Amino acid sequence: MSKRGAAALVLLSALTIGSCRAGAGTGAVTHEDPPVFLGRRLAAKEGIRPGDRVTLALRADDTAPDTFRVAGTFEDPADPAEISERPDYVRMQLPDLDRVAGLDGEVDRIAVRLADPARAREMADQLNAMSYGFRAHAADDLAEQASRSFVVIRRFHVAISVITIFGGGVFVMAIMLLKVEELKRELMILRLIGISSRTIVRSLMLEALLLTAAGSAVAIGLGIVLSLVVNAYYRAFYGTTLTFSQVTPGIVLLSVAVSAGLGLAAGAISAVRLSRRAPLEVLGH
Amino acid sequence: MLRLAALNLLRHRARNTLTAIGIAVATAILFDMVLLGDGIVHSFRELLVSLGYELRVTPRGTLPFSSDATFADARELRARLLADSAVDRVGTMLGETVYARRVRAGTGTEVASFAIGVDRGARDAYRLLLGSGLTAAESGEGHRGGEVILNGTLATALACAPGDTIVLGPARDAATGVVSGTRAFVVRGVADFYFDARGQRTLALDLADLQDLEGRRARDEASLFLVSLVAGHDAGSTAWRLGETLPAVDVYSVEELVRSVRARLSYFQQFSRILGSISLVVNFLLIGTIVGISVNERLGELALLRAIGFRRARVVTLVLAEAMLLALVAGGAGIALGLVLARYLDSILKASPGLPEAVSFFVVTDAGLARTLGFILSVGVGAGGVAAAIAARRPIADTLRREAL
């Protein structure tokens, strides 16, 4: 939405709904008043119901605002790009907005539904080649452009994830070293009775894998619960139906794979470290 | 006691070093989340305060340059603001999109740019880096205009330097794509515009020139007033009073603007609280685990110490000292790591579109540092306390029989 359109909508709602409060529900509704629809958030905030009359103007100091009939309310668009601003929305017929805002036939965008949606990019290219003064975009391309903020946030989350994985890996390593330290006498006895170092290393790696698998299972369960909590909290906070957190099969697989990799590496390093020591030296201590 | 605690920690160098690294990483994340919690708000406030204007006046229902909304009769409105005894100086600004092209042989393509029309009172809104700046003539009849200041990005895009001439136009014709209604302007300087986003192309010119270019002169339109107050006057109460007397405008003090930024960037505050809390829990688990294991391994030793006369309180203090030492050393390293990570994470978030480049998300403050240290020490005490309580409660004879004999 261009700044001009946004200005119209924001001013319309912010400036003049206040003036309509006094008029809401008073006087007869004239059916010559053109209809207007209010976003649910705005209607609830200002206590306006369908059937009420409102005045709309572009400027707060407009001495002759236009009168409209509230024909209904609609659910505010769940737009991630506008979520923290929580703008108020008003919908009306284009000629009415043109008259109120003095737009002189200007519009911000024209939405085109194609008979064959798969040809969207091709049609956009054809339109762009045909004329000046506008740019045609396929909806997917537009969504990608509008998502730049979320690309930044995604990179931020990935950076935090990498840091926490590193910290988690270090701690798994510490736990495995501890584990091996506790079992060193038993492990050396196994070596003395003929069990090979390779078998011991494999068993420790398996133990580490089981440990991290158990940890992964708990973590995934915790992640699902936290995801539900985050969604419930942010939906209530922002008054939206957007999904903020999602645990997908891909994320589960990645978490399990990373966890298993860390466990195997930790088990291998600690086991190899122990296997390099002479059994009698360890038992002697 | 501290020496004994240190020696105990050094007994298992490998695992305690690894645990300390884990604690350092968790502390680094905690520290960064503490900085993120208020960082951008603090940074934005510093930027606003540094400009020296205590109030911003905008068309009702808008924030500065958040829309195309303008108010008419700017000079009259300015005079009414100046009539208030608390007001020292008023700068007037108009913001518009223009199309700029350098004048040289052959055709060039116009680049869309954000133009700010300024009067004399608003020329602190940018910092001149090169050139002489706009002339000081007042906007009005017979004003000398035809000059423009560019930001670095626009100067590079147009390959311009002070002394060159550019052409500005208000709009591109929808049918032909031609920018019409153009006028020539001489570049008088290159400046740093404080609120420019990364990659933004910005220019400043005389307010009257921009009003003429955009056909807004008849209504004397403006987008924003910058108001500087007489020393000693409170910004909040002055903003309220001006807002009451001028119903067509909103008057924002620095604190009110900061509050609106806080509301719009609340996601980062919430995120920092969630991740900071998780980091605290992780730190508690890490310290508690390693100190707990260390205590478990030394139950016999601790029972022996009690048997030879160490009081329960001293044993508790010993275990607590170990936990605190681990928390402090690892936490200190974590804060140093956090400072490095903060710069990296800040560079990621500063790439957000539309954000002023001068604003940072991670701002190191004494309060943030103190809060992080406080958290770490509390976690050390809490985690160590649990292990210490276990160690102190063990019956001496029983423990000696099982562990030491």
Side-chain angles (χ1 to χ4, degrees):
Chain A
M1 179 186 292
S2 81
K3 286 181 181 176
R4 189 185 291 276
L9 284 173
V10 170
L11 283 167
L12 285 170
S13 58
L15 300 178
T16 64
I17 295 296
S19 72
C20 89
R21 247 190 254 138
T26 64
V29 172
T30 64
H31 290 287
E32 289 124 14
D33 296 328
V36 76
F37 291 82
L38 304 188
R40 185 189 51 79
R41 196 163 41 226
L42 173 62
K45 197 165 53 172
E46 299 296 330
I48 301 171
R49 295 186 305 273
D52 288 346
R53 289 166 70 215
V54 296
T55 56
L56 301 178
L58 194 61
R59 297 180 194 285
D61 55 0
D62 195 324
T63 51
D66 292 70
T67 305
F68 290 81
R69 170 178 53 88
V70 177
T73 59
F74 61 92
E75 195 58 43
D76 297 284
D79 187 348
E82 292 180 337
I83 190 158
S84 56
E85 294 170 24
R86 289 182 253 201
D88 294 323
Y89 288 95
V90 172
R91 283 187 185 156
M92 56 212 303
Q93 304 277 15
L94 195 51
D96 292 329
L97 180 60
D98 197 287
R99 186 181 71 250
V100 168
L103 293 173
D104 214 16
E106 273 187 49
V107 294
D108 297 311
R109 59 177 172 234
I110 299 169
V112 178
R113 181 174 291 177
L114 300 177
D116 180 7
R119 293 184 61 207
R121 283 209 178 91
E122 180 193 334
M123 288 303 301
D125 291 339
Q126 278 183 26
L127 285 168
N128 288 329
M130 269 165 54
S131 186
Y132 290 109
F134 63 78
R135 288 292 302 170
H137 305 270
D140 287 346
D141 294 340
L142 211 55
E144 202 180 299
Q145 278 185 42
S147 300
R148 276 165 45 207
S149 298
F150 301 103
V151 169
V152 167
I153 290 176
R154 186 174 181 275
R155 281 182 61 207
F156 175 71
H157 286 172
V158 167
I160 295 284
S161 303
V162 167
I163 295 163
T164 52
I165 285 169
F166 175 75
V170 162
F171 189 61
V172 165
M173 188 72 240
I175 290 294
M176 283 314 299
L177 275 180
L178 198 69
K179 184 82 189 163
V180 162
E181 200 59 32
E182 274 181 356
L183 294 174
K184 65 181 177 191
R185 292 181 69 86
E186 288 86 348
L187 294 172
M188 289 304 138
I189 289 169
L190 287 175
R191 291 256 323 261
L192 283 175
I193 64 171
I195 307 292
S196 69
S197 298
R198 194 180 291 181
T199 305
I200 291 171
V201 167
R202 275 197 210 134
S203 74
L204 286 170
M205 285 175 69
L206 184 61
E207 199 172 326
L209 191 62
L210 287 172
L211 179 69
T212 49
S216 294
V218 172
I220 288 163
L222 196 59
I224 291 170
V225 169
L226 274 176
S227 185
L228 291 170
V229 169
V230 161
N231 280 329
Y233 175 76
Y234 278 120
R235 280 173 182 160
F237 185 81
Y238 288 114
T240 180
T241 55
L242 286 170
T243 298
F244 290 83
S245 174
Q246 218 175 11
V247 178
T248 62
I251 288 171
V252 169
L253 278 171
L254 179 66
S255 308
V256 170
V258 167
S259 182
L262 284 174
L264 284 171
I269 291 168
S270 50
V272 165
R273 195 167 164 264
L274 181 69
S275 69
R276 285 201 179 128
R277 293 168 71 184
L280 288 175
E281 178 203 331
V282 173
L283 287 171
H285 285 137
Chain B
M1 197 63 68
L2 270 176
R3 191 162 174 268
L4 199 53
L7 287 170
N8 277 331
L9 286 173
L10 287 171
R11 275 210 285 195
H12 300 283
R13 268 172 233 247
R15 77 170 190 224
N16 286 341
T17 303
L18 285 171
T19 307
I21 293 171
I23 294 169
V25 170
T27 305
I29 293 175
L30 172 66
F31 182 48
D32 286 347
M33 292 306 109
V34 167
L35 299 182
L36 179 64
D38 277 328
I40 189 160
V41 167
H42 182 89
S43 178
F44 187 65
R45 181 188 284 113
E46 293 275 303
L47 183 59
L48 286 174
V49 165
S50 71
L51 295 182
Y53 298 98
E54 288 84 3
L55 303 178
R56 272 91 179 151
V57 182
T58 62
R60 180 95 183 273
T62 68
L63 287 167
F65 296 126
S66 65
S67 73
D68 282 348
T70 58
F71 21 56
D73 302 319
R75 253 173 294 190
E76 185 195 321
L77 208 44
R78 182 171 174 271
R80 287 175 72 181
L81 288 168
L82 282 167
D84 192 290
S85 58
V87 173
D88 178 33
R89 189 163 55 104
V90 176
T92 315
M93 298 175 91
L94 173 66
E96 281 292 346
T97 299
V98 298
Y99 293 85
R101 175 172 55 85
R102 186 174 167 194
V103 173
R104 53 182 162 187
T107 55
T109 46
E110 292 88 2
V111 292
S113 312
F114 181 59
I116 308 173
V118 295
D119 67 2
R120 232 170 139 182
R123 290 193 189 168
D124 291 342
Y126 54 82
R127 182 169 58 100
L128 201 64
L129 301 172
L130 273 180
S132 57
L134 299 175
T135 56
E138 288 282 4
S139 290
E141 292 303 323
H143 77 279
R144 272 180 40 219
E147 300 171 327
V148 74
I149 305 280
L150 312 180
N151 76 345
T153 307
L154 183 55
T156 305
L158 298 177
C160 264
D164 290 338
T165 303
I166 66 170
V167 160
L168 299 180
R172 196 187 290 274
D173 186 85
T176 63
V178 170
V179 176
S180 54
T182 56
R183 273 186 59 191
F185 291 83
V186 176
V187 177
R188 288 295 183 213
V190 177
D192 178 21
F193 291 79
Y194 299 111
F195 286 92
D196 272 355
R198 186 180 292 194
Q200 182 175 326
R201 295 182 290 259
T202 308
L203 58 95
L205 66 168
D206 197 62
L207 175 66
D209 280 342
L210 186 58
Q211 285 176 328
D212 283 338
L213 195 66
E214 295 286 337
R216 296 187 184 271
R217 192 76 181 273
R219 284 175 56 90
D220 190 21
E221 290 182 45
S223 309
L224 173 69
F225 290 115
L226 301 171
V227 177
S228 183
L229 298 182
V230 173
H233 284 268
D234 175 61
S237 54
T238 309
W240 181 85
R241 187 174 63 252
L242 289 172
E244 291 290 301
T245 54
L246 302 167
V249 306
D250 276 336
V251 186
Y252 295 99
S253 62
V254 166
E255 282 313 310
E256 281 163 342
L257 280 177
V258 164
R259 259 201 296 278
S260 74
V261 164
R262 192 191 290 274
R264 282 164 190 246
L265 294 170
S266 57
Y267 169 77
F268 292 103
Q269 259 194 332
Q270 309 289 331
F271 178 81
S272 72
R273 276 187 198 139
I274 292 171
L275 196 56
S277 305
I278 292 172
S279 303
L280 265 181
V281 170
V282 166
N283 263 334
F284 183 89
L285 289 173
L286 285 173
I287 296 173
T289 301
I290 212 66
V291 172
I293 288 170
S294 170
V295 161
N296 252 347
E297 284 176 345
R298 291 182 293 131
L299 282 175
E301 273 176 41
L302 296 171
L304 209 57
L305 286 174
R306 285 192 54 208
I308 62 171
F310 261 56
R311 295 189 33 221
R312 207 178 286 225
R314 285 200 80 183
V315 169
V316 168
T317 309
L318 174 65
V319 174
L320 270 177
E322 241 178 82
M324 296 293 287
L325 195 60
L326 184 61
L328 275 172
V329 170
I335 286 173
L337 179 63
L339 285 170
V340 173
L341 285 175
R343 287 190 71 173
Y344 168 62
L345 294 171
D346 202 35
S347 70
I348 293 176
L349 289 177
K350 282 176 77 159
S352 300
L355 195 74
E357 220 175 350
V359 160
S360 289
F361 282 83
F362 294 84
V363 176
V364 181
T365 58
D366 291 341
L369 205 57
R371 221 182 305 155
T372 307
L373 279 170
F375 283 142
I376 288 300
L377 287 174
S378 309
V379 160
V381 166
V386 170
I390 294 169
R393 287 214 172 106
R394 289 277 181 158
I396 302 173
D398 227 16
T399 311
L400 275 175
R401 191 179 61 245
R402 247 186 294 123
E403 303 283 339
L405 299 178

